[in-house]
Amino acid sequence: MSIKERLDRIKATLPEGVKLVAVSKFHPVERLQEAYDAGQRIFGESRPQEMAAKHAELPTDIEWSMIGHLQTNKVKMIASFVSMIASVDSERLIEEIEKQAAKHNRIIDILLEVHVAQEDTKSGWAKEELDTYLATGKLQAMEHVRVRGVMTIASNTDDEAIVRSDFERIRAIFEELKPTFGNEFDTLSIGMSDDYPIALEYGSTMVRIGTAIFGQREY
Ligand SMILES: *Cc1c(COP(=O)(O)O)cnc(C)c1O
């Protein structure tokens, strides 16, 4: 199946208003161009260097979304063009994004990555840590960072009940945080190739799909 056919099939299953991030990490620009030519405009990458290189080669109306763990010292590589940083997991990172976005006179959309999976290995805030940080009011006062919602990666398991409980928990956190940020806080980013149909049941507004569009990655 071509990339266009895969994209069309996936898009046909997405309710109106749900955004599709085509996760293109580790795939060459030719494959991204193919997706672009099929109408795809939002691409997700996990490494800043790779994102910057692809950004330089591909059309300028692509919205680039950083989905991988981002080191503070690498924010500057993408700050001039990135649309969204979906993997924001620390105060230091937020402060650096604020600083770099200000330098470029931009506002960068972010998602707070919250850890809900039943595994120690996953990145993201522990909910209690996030609450402590939000209570300081610092994030709400930033002028170049716009908090759009939350993101998580569900447990990597075949046990659907565990995946469902992860999604239920992140959805509850999303609802709980909404009043803090207001109308702009509209994004619940859950769902990857293997679990996005379930994520849609839990109100996902942004799925992040790689393998089901581009095939297996070669690391
Ligand atoms: C790689 C990645 C994806 C895409 O995973 P697939 O299983 O290939 O769909 C989605 N979200 C994040 C955070 C990722 O790192």
Side-chain angles (χ1 to χ4, degrees):
M1 222 189 295
S2 70
I3 286 176
K4 179 179 178 2
E5 283 170 319
R6 292 181 191 203
L7 274 169
D8 287 346
R9 284 196 183 194
I10 292 165
K11 282 191 285 189
T13 69
L14 300 180
E16 206 178 316
V18 174
K19 289 188 176 171
L20 170 61
V21 178
V23 177
S24 48
K25 60 190 186 194
F26 295 91
H27 292 290
V29 287
E30 293 73 25
R31 310 274 288 163
L32 281 73
Q33 182 70 52
E34 222 178 306
Y36 181 90
D37 292 340
Q40 183 62 29
R41 290 295 179 272
I42 312 175
F43 290 85
E45 290 283 334
S46 59
R47 300 181 300 178
Q49 242 136 334
E50 183 176 343
M51 178 185 277
K54 287 173 171 173
H55 166 258
E57 285 194 55
L58 288 163
T60 53
D61 61 343
I62 288 178
E63 294 173 37
W64 294 96
S65 185
M66 175 52 60
I67 59 167
H69 177 72
L70 182 57
Q71 286 175 315
T72 308
N73 63 358
K74 299 203 169 150
V75 174
K76 53 168 132 26
M77 300 182 66
I78 58 172
S80 67
F81 68 88
V82 71
S83 289
M84 174 176 272
I85 301 179
S87 45
V88 173
D89 59 0
S90 75
E91 176 171 359
R92 272 187 65 219
L93 181 56
I94 290 169
E95 282 174 355
E96 181 65 12
I97 295 169
E98 170 68 20
K99 185 173 134 192
Q100 294 297 332
K103 246 187 218 172
H104 293 280
N105 210 2
R106 303 185 64 217
I107 294 172
I108 295 179
D109 283 347
I110 68 164
L111 299 180
L112 299 167
E113 182 175 359
V114 186
H115 175 105
V116 299
Q118 332 256 325
E119 296 160 6
D120 299 335
T121 50
K122 294 275 159 66
S123 49
W125 302 82
K127 178 60 168 44
E128 303 71 39
E129 275 170 23
L130 179 59
D131 287 341
T132 305
Y133 173 56
L134 293 181
T136 66
K138 288 187 203 164
L139 177 54
Q140 297 87 316
M142 285 188 183
E143 292 182 2
H144 302 90
V145 168
R146 181 163 49 201
V147 186
R148 299 297 305 271
V150 294
M151 185 275 260
T152 204
I153 303 174
S155 302
N156 183 15
T157 171
D158 291 334
D159 187 342
E160 194 179 306
I162 294 178
V163 173
R164 285 180 180 276
S165 89
D166 290 349
F167 286 155
E168 192 152 315
R169 176 139 163 73
I170 191 69
R171 189 209 171 111
I173 292 169
F174 175 59
E175 298 296 341
E176 183 191 322
L177 295 181
K178 254 186 194 169
T180 307
F181 296 103
N183 288 340
E184 291 171 344
F185 194 85
D186 59 2
T187 305
L188 174 58
S189 178
I190 50 174
M192 307 177 20
S193 291
D194 287 339
D195 58 18
Y196 78 88
I198 304 173
L200 293 172
E201 289 181 41
Y202 289 83
S204 175
T205 69
M206 177 180 276
V207 293
R208 311 177 307 269
I209 301 181
T211 311
I213 297 171
F214 296 107
Q216 291 294 332
R217 292 178 282 274
E218 285 172 41
Y219 292 104

